[in-house]
Amino acid sequence: MGNSVKRVLFVNSEMCPYLPESPVAKIGRYLPQGIQERKKEIRSFMPRYGCINERKNQLHEVIRLSGMNIIINDVDRPLVIKVASISAARMQVYFIDNEDYFHRKSVYHDQNGEFFLDNGERAIFFARGVLETVKKLRWAPDVIHCQGWISQILPLYLKKAYIDDPIFSNSKVVLSLYDDIPADFPEDFKERILFGGVGEDDIKLLDKPDGINLAKLAASYSDGVIFGAENIPQEIVDFCKGMGYPCLPYDAASVEDGSYIEVYNSFYDNL
């Protein structure tokens, strides 16, 4: 792409200050700011988990972007878009919201530590919600950077269901992989992903519907991978390296001192 990368869309699983500080949440917060400071336009999205305090963080609904329904498993679910500002970074964050999926008080697990049975549906809703909202914004990203497992259906949808949309016709996907590998999904997860141009042959990796295969699926529809943690399962690492596209290794020191932002910026430019 060279210097043609002007717009970067960040699809984050976590961001601080909206969620507790973690390696993923810190990068979700500071990477978009750093890329914006390097003169690229950015948009940043995350789910509006129920544990996010709307009053404290001054979230408000964007009426012009809300209002459509997303059908999953034959059920219409309203898509609500909210927005908040991080004034210190001069940056807005868009939140994908739905009462059924995102108003519970924990992120991925119930009070007994069990993985929510509908986490797969939540990921589907999040991916489609982001892409539909970007269409409404009429903002064509050059690079879409997906971070964290709940963003991992988006590469598939972009390349199979939205690729003919002029907003996304030139978009490249960067996938950041972490060690946040979810538990198994329900057996019908694969069927619920089917949408638009996505056929069963496109998602054969999910014949066994688990977190490792979801990461592989996301990688197979990406244009470059960043390893964002040290302890990513070797099976996923080997799969990505076998794809033949650029893979950026994990560098703990650069993450610690913030120099990873410049490295990631160059990675986008060289896709």
Side-chain angles (χ1 to χ4, degrees), residues 195-227:
F195 163 71
V198 178
E200 291 194 10
D201 287 346
D202 301 316
I203 52 176
K204 281 187 175 295
L205 279 165
L206 292 179
D207 285 347
K208 181 184 178 185
D210 61 18
I212 285 180
N213 285 330
L214 178 60
K216 289 180 180 179
L217 182 75
S220 68
Y221 289 100
S222 297
D223 300 286
V225 165
I226 295 172
F227 298 118

Side-chain angles (χ1 to χ4, degrees), residues 40-58:
K40 289 178 169 61
E41 290 183 52
I42 65 104
R43 295 287 186 276
S44 198
F45 282 77
M46 71 173 288
R48 207 293 285 179
Y49 303 109
C51 56
I52 296 172
N53 187 315
E54 292 201 359
R55 180 177 295 179
K56 175 184 175 183
N57 293 295
Q58 299 184 329

Side-chain angles (χ1 to χ4, degrees), residues 13-30:
S13 60
E14 303 173 31
M15 289 181 71
C16 51
Y18 307 110
L19 290 181
E21 193 169 286
S22 69
V24 181
K26 284 178 68 177
I27 290 178
R29 161 64 180 86
Y30 292 105

Side-chain angles (χ1 to χ4, degrees), residues 237-249:
V237 173
D238 292 344
F239 181 89
C240 294
K241 289 182 176 179
M243 292 296 296
Y245 52 41
C247 291
L248 190 64

